[in-house]
Amino acid sequence: MDLASLPLLSLVVFIPLVAAVILLFVGRAYETLMRTIALVSMLLDLAASAAAYYFFDASSAAMQLTEYHVWVPTWGISYKLGIDGISLFLVLLTGLLGPIVILASWEDIKYRVKEFLISLLALQTGMMGVFVSLDLFLFYVFWEVMLIPMYLLIGVWGNPARKLYAAIKFVLYTVVGSLLMLVAILALYLMAGSASGEYTFDLLKLYDFPVPIYAQLWMFLAFFLAFAIKVPMFPFHTWLPDAHTEAPTVGSVVLAAVLLKMGTYGFIRFAIPLFPNAAIDSTWWIMVLALIGIIYGAWVAMVQVDVKRLVAFSSVSHLGFVMLGMFAFNVRGVEGSILQMINHGLSTGALFLIVGIIYERRHTRLIEDYGGISKVMPIFAVFFMIFTLSSIGLPGLNGFVGEFLILLGTFEVYPWFAVLAATGVIFAAVYMLWMFQRVMFGELTNPKNVGLKDLSYREIVVLAPLVVFVVWIGVYPDTFLKPMEPSVKQFLKQVEVKKAAVLDQENGKKLSALDLAAQSHSRRAVNDR
Amino acid sequence: MFDLVWLIPLFPLIGFFLNAVFGREWPEKVNGWVGSLSVGASFVVACLILKELLAVDPASRSVEKVVYTWMVSGNLNVPVGFLMDPLGMVMMMVVSGVGFIIHVYSIGYMHGEVGYRRYFCYLNLFVFSMLILVSANNFLLMFVGWEGVGLCSYLLIGYYYEKKSAADAGKKAFVVNRVGDFGFMLGMFLLFVTFGTFNYTEIFAAAPKQLVQGGILVTGITLLLFVGATGKSAQIPLYTWLPDAMEGPTPVSALIHAATMVTAGVYMVARCSILFAMAPISLYTVAVIGGATALYAATIGVTQFDIKRVLAYSTISQLGYMFMACGVGAFASGIFHLMTHAFFKALLFMAAGSVMHAMAGELDMRKMGGLRRQLPWTHWTYIFGTLAIAGIFPFAGFFSKDEILFYAFEKHLGFWIWGAVAAIVTSFYMFRSVFMTFWGESRVDAHTAHHLHESPPIMVAPLVVLAVLSLVGGLVGIPIIPHWHVFGDFLAPVFAPAKSIIDAGAHGGHHSLALELGLMGISLGIAVVGFFLARWMYITNPSAPDEVIKEFKGLHTLVYNKYWIDELYDFLFVNSIVRFSRFLWKYFDDAVIDGIVNGLAALVREWGSGLRRFQTGLIRDYALSVLLGVLAVIGYLVFR
């Protein structure tokens, strides 16, 4: 059978779910077998996403590898999948992290292993689904489906003291946003349906529907809230430190690496192209929030005493950059923004793995409990250093390329925003290096740290692929930027065109209103005579 | 050969990988020689390319070679490409040549250290980054090297990471440099917005057409770039990291914090000479900051007792001279001084390292004295370095410093006086360090005295090579006689456009030979005055320093404590931001935002438990409410 004729994206989405179902029938005692099944399925999933990359035509801006099946014809709901240069790398990132998290949790999770693996696999399906859905309804289903396994991951395998608080906070925050989004989706569906006569949730068709300006603002705000909470943008970020801190290691990894990207991806795939006028009009305040996030996140990260919380707040800062670049609405800003999503996934995901590795050995997250770890764990120190530098945005590693494009893109349109955002680059160095110093350098003062074992082969295998990409993106970003470019240009053009169309439509209305007024005026004039 | 320019940075990178990946099992010597020879190979390639460049007609000595395209986004296209021109070649030669000598010295100096392999990895990585910095053909790639050397500096300052002071110093260096890089980055953004490219050749060719002479844009660009330079080259106000950087191993101080990395700012300003020439305000700023730093740092150098700190402040001061040279438009002289300084300052640091080697790591000059008997080679090479930096004829520093002072005089008498005063101070503190360390009575404690020994040949040989260079290095720049200033003539084409812009605005006027010789005489006199002053205070009259300190107690305390600038910065920037961040975390994030979030949740819960009273599950309660409802309806009907 020809590989190209396979429904690749469906495979990408559902391989993990199939494995989850298989796991249901495996006896609880066979832990290693279950882990192996999960690992193999994740590797298959990665292979499927790699195949998707292989068949992806980098020179085209169109949706590719599309699959279409009617699902609920009466309501215009369809099963429609496809990827373009924007979602391609998010799918690959998710695919890459799948096997990594299974491997990373190999010795960490010893309790309810079966349920744990099933949750991770279901989560993978949900995440992949969000990135490849081209039907609003289907998207919403995956969006909500994803919540449940994440809730369980935090609530069941989290840190006993506060796991329930964190899990509930995470779910409530997200649900509040997504319910409003659901309302907006339905409103859009009805509005577009009544205008065109075709009731459909098909995203590509809805792209072409010019939403009247008065409705755009409200719908955009509803989408904004859902996505801004997920990103998270200041001031909707307070679920993040709690969820990250209390989640088990791999929970934090998936949360940071992939889940946060759903918010930023949501903006670029849904909120902005559907409601371009409202989005562009909102540029200034969204940029202000992004900017506050960058600096505020960095400052608060600096004074944290808990390593995981520190990394969590650093995410607030990094995601601020992503939002900033996206709302610059130019090629460099948006490309930098997308690349930075990937970069953040790699380096922050890796940092959570790093923290997890020492947490597993010492069962503490407090910075003050460490110190001098370099001495006992030299290999670990090398990996930690690389990811720290990647997070700081050192040229030659991935973070720099993204941040630089974002700042340059922003500078071209709003120089002062870029100037202020660039200070975030200074603070990033401060909080990361200070933390690194307190954990890794200095003398080994705490006797509990003396006998720590350096990385095992399994742990090296977990971290090494991330290093490869961290360096690859830094040294040869073309691999990633080139397939993005057509889609990004298309995105920008689409926003422009649709914005103009809506404005034309509004002007048309005004004109016809003016016509009416003029007519009635002349009629009255006639009557007067 | 031009096509192989990428080999120059590549060799040290290979050395880095060999040691990092395979070096774990190798004996120490192999690690050291792999590291050293990889840099030596770069030097050989650089020599060959220089030879080929010299064969080209002077006017067209600017060759570009693109290896691959690094970053493309829209019309942004940044290649990994190299530029071979006289300025770049001088820098590549200095970096790889002096770098090689210091690597060899390190083989002996670092002998027996725990992190021996790690040290050579970092050092190779540093040379790689530094070579990228000076050989890049565009600003962004230069920035890669720029940050790369910052990283290696961070890693090497914090080499003894178990010492808190070392780890702190490394972090401080990185962060302060980042402040400078912030300016550099904004300068680059402005360049890109203006020119649509980062390529040097394109920008410098377009600049005179696209920018207004003395306009606000070019002034802004150059001032921002200069902010970057003040960070990397430790000028006021961002110099505070360099003295602390002495926590690193001494060869690191020699290589990174004297000979190469700290001169990157000077290189950058010289590279952008056209832009600076178009912005007189920026040029003036560069000259003033450079001059001020030269004198300011020199005064601190007088009061320090730690031999490496004396040299560190001396480095800051000498870098100030180089900036002053650029600021008065004498870019070639700045680069000339950069080269001679690389020779004699690396020599001084390594000689100081040799002293430390003999003294079991002791740095305090008050505990030295009389070492010339046990360390003859170190002593003589240190003297050579001192004579060069003080500007004694015919040592290298004489020519380069004199040239700077001459151009400063031409520009404005004030700059010359400023520089001349700094020169006296320099000569004084350098001879002071010679006398305190090597001459007079021995103050070494008995235990250490027993172990005093001259360093092994592998350390002495590099000292001798650099001592020779400190002696003859200036002869490539002999003034007055036409065509004897080989160095200046070689660099001239690079700075010709800038020179023509500056000269166009100047009053012209040709200086007389007598003036030139007279100034030369004065500089020489200045150096000699410094020598006698130091000799009088530290040899003939050993109680004098204490008396002077007693006499000017307040002033001495101020200068000895480095004018309390570190404390001021801590107070203004570090502590206030940390305190404010704590406030934000505790009182905004936790109290306000989470207060609202949890408050809303609590409100809903309260409301829910209030409503719960109506859901008791008891029939009679429901009957009661039915009754109340009926009554209400009846009431409505009755009183309607």
Side-chain angles (χ1 to χ4, degrees):
Chain A
M1 192 173 157
D2 186 14
L3 200 58
S5 64
L6 285 174
L8 269 180
L9 295 183
S10 290
L11 286 177
V12 166
V13 175
F14 290 107
I15 287 176
L17 195 65
V18 171
V21 173
I22 293 174
L23 282 188
L24 289 176
F25 299 99
V26 178
R28 193 162 279 293
Y30 304 102
E31 283 191 4
T32 313
L33 176 65
M34 289 192 292
R35 291 185 203 273
T36 313
I37 291 175
L39 181 64
V40 168
S41 72
M42 288 292 203
L43 284 171
L44 282 175
D45 200 33
L46 174 60
S49 23
Y53 175 74
Y54 180 77
F55 289 112
F56 187 86
D57 174 9
S59 59
S60 158
M63 284 293 169
Q64 305 186 28
L65 305 170
T66 48
E67 293 171 32
Y68 179 81
H69 300 284
V70 175
W71 184 10
V72 188
T74 32
W75 295 333
I77 299 174
S78 60
Y79 174 82
K80 185 169 183 184
L81 309 179
I83 51 174
D84 65 354
I86 296 171
S87 46
L88 171 68
F89 291 106
L90 289 165
V91 168
L92 283 173
L93 174 72
T94 314
L96 175 71
L97 280 160
I100 287 180
V101 293
I102 300 284
L103 259 187
S105 67
W106 207 270
E107 277 160 25
D108 183 24
I109 302 293
K110 300 207 164 71
Y111 158 79
R112 289 183 181 271
V113 177
K114 184 172 178 171
E115 288 80 356
F116 180 80
L117 293 172
I118 291 176
S119 297
L120 273 185
L121 291 164
L123 185 62
Q124 186 83 355
T125 290
M127 296 187 301
M128 286 293 195
V130 166
F131 290 135
V132 300
S133 295
L134 291 183
D135 180 279
L136 272 180
F137 189 87
L138 187 65
F139 156 72
Y140 192 77
V141 169
F142 281 122
W143 175 271
E144 292 287 298
V145 156
M146 205 178 61
L147 266 186
I148 300 156
M150 197 65 221
Y151 170 73
L152 294 176
L153 283 177
I154 301 174
V156 178
W157 294 274
N159 182 39
R162 272 159 50 91
K163 62 185 180 185
L164 283 180
Y165 172 75
I168 292 174
K169 196 172 180 180
F170 164 71
V171 167
L172 286 185
Y173 245 113
T174 317
V175 163
V176 167
S178 38
L179 281 180
L180 284 173
M181 179 168 73
L182 180 62
V183 174
I185 290 177
L186 293 176
L188 175 66
Y189 166 77
L190 293 172
M191 194 174 267
S194 67
S196 67
E198 189 197 357
Y199 285 89
T200 177
F201 283 99
D202 187 327
L203 181 66
L204 300 187
K205 285 184 186 154
L206 289 173
Y207 272 171
D208 296 333
F209 171 66
V211 186
I213 285 194
Y214 72 93
Q216 270 200 30
L217 183 65
W218 292 107
M219 292 184 187
F220 178 75
L221 283 179
F223 273 73
F224 170 81
L225 193 67
F227 297 141
I229 287 174
K230 221 20 168 230
V231 169
M233 291 187 75
F234 176 89
F236 308 109
H237 64 276
T238 59
W239 63 270
L240 180 87
D242 283 319
H244 268 315
T245 319
E246 308 309 329
T249 299
V250 296
S252 307
V253 173
V254 177
L255 196 58
V258 186
L259 250 68
L260 303 189
K261 309 304 161 330
M262 314 235 138
T264 46
Y265 174 74
F267 274 105
I268 206 166
R269 172 67 76 232
F270 301 100
I272 295 173
L274 284 173
F275 318 112
N277 303 62
I280 289 172
D281 290 345
S282 309
T283 301
W284 70 270
W285 60 264
I286 289 182
M287 279 205 153
V288 167
L289 287 185
L291 197 61
I292 295 177
I294 291 173
I295 294 169
Y296 180 89
W299 283 4
V300 177
M302 186 166 63
V303 291
Q304 294 303 310
V305 292
D306 176 325
V307 195
K308 263 183 133 179
R309 278 189 103 84
L310 189 149
V311 181
F313 274 108
S314 84
S315 290
V316 176
S317 185
H318 285 289
L319 271 296
F321 277 105
V322 175
M323 292 305 293
L324 198 70
M326 194 186 297
F327 276 83
F329 288 115
N330 55 26
V331 178
R332 274 178 279 284
V334 176
E335 280 186 11
S337 172
I338 299 169
L339 192 65
Q340 195 63 2
M341 291 184 208
I342 309 298
N343 290 338
H344 177 263
L346 293 170
S347 39
T348 309
L351 282 173
F352 277 117
L353 286 171
I354 288 280
V355 176
I357 285 170
I358 42 172
Y359 181 78
E360 213 176 293
R361 287 164 170 69
R362 283 280 287 107
H363 296 284
T364 173
R365 298 184 312 254
L366 293 182
I367 295 174
E368 61 180 25
D369 288 341
Y370 294 102
I373 304 293
S374 283
K375 188 132 189 108
V376 281
M377 301 175 71
I379 301 175
F380 173 76
V382 172
F383 280 103
F384 195 179
M385 186 47 117
I386 293 173
F387 294 126
T388 301
L389 295 172
S390 141
S391 175
I392 287 176
L394 189 85
L397 301 181
N398 59 346
F400 175 72
V401 182
E403 267 177 16
F404 182 79
L405 288 177
I406 289 172
L407 288 173
L408 184 57
T410 310
F411 190 87
E412 287 174 78
V413 274
Y414 309 103
W416 290 108
F417 278 104
V419 170
L420 290 173
T423 62
V425 177
I426 302 177
F427 294 118
V430 176
Y431 66 76
M432 286 308 293
L433 290 183
W434 193 26
M435 181 268 280
F436 189 84
Q437 179 190 347
R438 284 177 294 167
V439 172
M440 301 304 291
F441 293 160
E443 285 186 57
L444 263 178
T445 42
N446 194 333
K448 285 183 195 155
N449 292 332
V450 173
L452 293 184
K453 272 212 195 67
D454 208 346
L455 297 186
S456 66
Y457 282 111
R458 177 183 59 85
E459 286 163 331
I460 293 178
V461 170
V462 165
L463 294 175
L466 296 171
V467 173
V468 170
F469 282 99
V470 160
V471 176
W472 186 346
I473 299 181
V475 176
Y476 198 71
D478 231 27
T479 321
F480 304 85
L481 291 175
K482 204 175 262 164
M484 241 177 240
E485 186 135 331
S487 299
V488 168
K489 283 188 173 148
Q490 161 87 6
F491 162 78
L492 292 170
K493 200 174 131 206
Q494 187 187 346
V495 166
E496 269 315 301
V497 168
K498 184 161 174 186
K499 184 186 161 202
V502 172
L503 287 180
D504 276 356
Q505 183 181 310
E506 299 284 320
N507 286 338
K509 264 191 218 152
K510 264 187 216 145
L511 277 181
S512 52
L514 273 179
D515 278 354
L516 281 175
Q519 274 172 18
S520 65
H521 185 75
S522 58
R523 210 174 296 137
R524 212 176 303 142
V526 170
N527 290 349
D528 284 350
R529 217 180 280 162
Chain B
M1 201 66 214
F2 288 141
D3 284 347
L4 295 178
V5 61
W6 47 272
L7 282 175
I8 296 179
L10 187 70
F11 278 125
L13 190 66
I14 294 175
F16 163 75
F17 273 116
L18 286 178
N19 269 331
V21 181
F22 307 109
R24 192 172 288 275
E25 308 301 328
W26 294 347
E28 206 185 84
K29 276 253 155 57
V30 179
N31 289 141
W33 280 108
V34 165
S36 307
L37 290 177
S38 67
V39 180
S42 294
F43 182 67
V44 172
V45 177
C47 287
L48 293 174
I49 289 182
L50 177 70
K51 192 171 153 244
E52 202 163 308
L53 196 69
L54 284 173
V56 179
D57 172 50
S60 51
R61 279 180 190 159
S62 172
V63 184
E64 281 187 70
K65 166 77 189 157
V66 170
V67 179
Y68 74 92
T69 304
W70 177 35
M71 213 193 274
V72 182
S73 175
N75 64 341
L76 168 78
N77 184 326
V78 187
V80 171
F82 301 99
L83 173 67
M84 288 155 278
D85 71 344
L87 176 60
M89 286 323 294
V90 167
M91 294 303 294
M92 283 185 244
M93 299 287 288
V94 169
V95 171
S96 57
V98 176
F100 172 65
I101 295 171
I102 297 174
H103 270 70
V104 172
Y105 173 90
S106 300
I107 295 177
Y109 184 85
M110 297 302 287
H111 172 68
E113 292 277 351
V114 183
Y116 194 88
R117 181 180 66 104
R118 180 164 56 96
Y119 172 87
F120 276 96
C121 286
Y122 292 166
L123 218 55
N124 272 179
L125 194 61
F126 168 78
V127 176
F128 161 73
S129 309
M130 190 69 204
L131 286 170
I132 289 281
L133 195 163
V134 296
S135 63
N137 76 339
N138 62 72
F139 279 95
L140 201 59
L141 191 61
M142 184 214 264
F143 191 68
V144 173
W146 188 270
E147 289 266 296
V149 292
L151 164 73
C152 298
S153 159
Y154 162 77
L155 293 169
L156 283 163
I157 296 170
Y159 175 76
Y160 299 111
Y161 60 80
E162 284 170 65
K163 262 171 83 186
K164 183 169 185 313
S165 56
D168 277 340
K171 187 187 65 193
K172 182 172 174 183
F174 197 89
V175 171
V176 173
N177 267 295
R178 270 267 160 137
V179 175
D181 298 349
F182 167 74
F184 190 174
M185 210 144 86
L186 296 182
M188 282 201 298
F189 291 160
L190 273 180
L191 279 173
F192 184 78
V193 172
T194 315
F195 297 100
T197 175
F198 286 117
N199 183 285
Y200 297 147
T201 323
E202 288 170 27
I203 288 181
F204 299 146
K209 281 165 253 159
Q210 265 174 272
L211 294 172
V212 183
Q213 167 75 23
I216 190 155
L217 184 59
V218 70
T219 308
I221 291 174
T222 44
L223 284 180
L224 284 168
L225 291 176
F226 183 57
V227 170
T230 59
K232 198 56 84 198
S233 294
Q235 298 294 292
I236 290 173
L238 297 179
Y239 67 91
T240 54
W241 63 272
L242 186 59
D244 291 11
M246 297 300 125
E247 292 284 348
T250 306
V252 169
S253 313
L255 176 61
I256 301 185
H257 306 119
T260 56
M261 182 187 85
V262 288
T263 60
V266 182
Y267 164 74
M268 189 248 272
V269 171
R271 180 53 87 196
C272 305
S273 58
I274 297 173
L275 300 177
F276 277 90
M278 292 184 70
I281 297 176
S282 307
L283 265 189
Y284 199 72
T285 313
V286 172
V288 169
I289 294 272
T293 311
L295 183 57
Y296 170 85
T299 60
I300 301 179
V302 171
T303 59
Q304 301 298 310
F305 292 112
D306 177 326
I307 187 168
K308 277 183 77 181
R309 293 217 170 220
V310 172
L311 294 177
Y313 282 106
S314 154
T315 304
I316 299 177
S317 164
Q318 296 298 310
L319 290 166
Y321 272 108
M322 297 174 210
F323 278 110
M324 192 162 83
C326 295
V328 298
F331 296 101
S333 313
I335 297 296
F336 186 25
H337 196 56
L338 184 159
M339 182 180 80
T340 59
H341 177 257
F343 298 151
F344 60 70
K345 190 51 72 62
L347 168 62
L348 287 168
F349 266 114
M350 297 204 310
S354 174
V355 171
M356 284 171 69
H357 192 76
M359 300 270 303
E362 185 57 61
L363 285 164
D364 193 334
M365 294 191 292
R366 284 169 295 192
K367 295 179 186 157
M368 296 177 185
L371 293 179
R372 66 186 154 148
R373 283 179 289 276
Q374 290 88 356
L375 310 174
W377 287 97
T378 309
H379 169 231
W380 276 108
T381 48
Y382 194 89
I383 295 263
F384 269 52
T386 305
L387 292 172
I389 191 175
I392 306 284
F393 182 82
F395 286 85
F398 168 78
F399 293 99
S400 54
K401 190 191 275 186
D402 180 65
E403 207 177 294
I404 293 175
L405 288 176
F406 174 72
Y407 285 112
F409 182 86
E410 268 201 331
K411 186 83 178 178
H412 197 282
L413 183 64
F415 286 134
W416 181 82
I417 295 176
W418 209 246
V421 174
I424 298 184
V425 182
T426 305
S427 167
F428 173 76
Y429 69 69
M430 281 314 301
F431 283 110
R432 168 179 176 266
S433 75
V434 171
F435 297 140
M436 284 185 82
T437 310
F438 295 101
W439 291 35
E441 293 298 307
S442 174
R443 296 176 298 277
V444 183
D445 65 65
H447 180 70
T448 319
H450 189 68
H451 292 285
L452 279 178
H453 57 279
E454 182 58 281
S455 299
I458 191 128
M459 288 167 67
V460 172
L463 290 181
V464 173
V465 174
L466 282 176
V468 172
L469 284 173
S470 302
L471 175 61
V472 302
L475 299 180
V476 295
I478 294 170
I480 302 169
I481 309 166
H483 304 302
W484 278 39
H485 203 309
V486 184
F487 191 80
D489 293 345
F490 179 55
L491 281 179
V494 180
F495 300 123
K499 196 166 163 14
S500 69
I501 295 171
I502 293 173
D503 286 350
H507 321 290
H510 227 68
H511 49 266
S512 69
L513 184 66
L515 176 71
E516 205 160 331
L517 284 172
L519 286 175
M520 222 177 256
I522 296 176
S523 330
L524 194 57
I526 280 170
V528 176
V529 167
F531 165 75
F532 280 110
L533 204 61
R535 183 160 175 269
W536 177 76
M537 273 183 82
Y538 292 92
I539 299 294
T540 18
N541 201 355
S543 61
D546 291 330
E547 282 164 31
V548 174
I549 291 173
K550 219 174 275 170
E551 193 69 22
F552 303 98
K553 198 161 179 23
L555 185 66
H556 178 263
T557 320
L558 178 71
V559 181
Y560 180 69
N561 289 300
K562 303 161 274 178
Y563 301 89
W564 280 294
I565 293 294
D566 270 311
E567 286 75 5
L568 183 73
Y569 282 5
D570 273 352
F571 172 76
L572 282 181
F573 305 113
V574 182
N575 296 343
S576 55
I577 291 183
V578 167
R579 225 171 280 146
F580 182 63
S581 304
R582 284 224 173 83
F583 167 82
L584 277 182
W585 172 33
K586 291 280 181 204
Y587 296 97
F588 191 76
D589 219 58
D590 275 6
V592 178
I593 301 183
D594 252 4
I596 293 173
V597 170
N598 291 331
L600 271 177
L603 197 70
V604 171
R605 207 165 46 229
E606 287 299 310
W607 200 33
S609 51
L611 287 176
R612 199 170 59 186
R613 294 196 194 153
F614 298 99
Q615 303 281 325
T616 56
L618 297 175
I619 300 285
R620 62 159 194 259
D621 286 356
Y622 295 141
L624 180 67
S625 52
V626 170
L627 180 66
L628 287 175
V630 169
L631 283 176
V633 171
I634 292 173
Y636 171 71
L637 290 174
V638 170
F639 296 105
R640 161 171 78 152

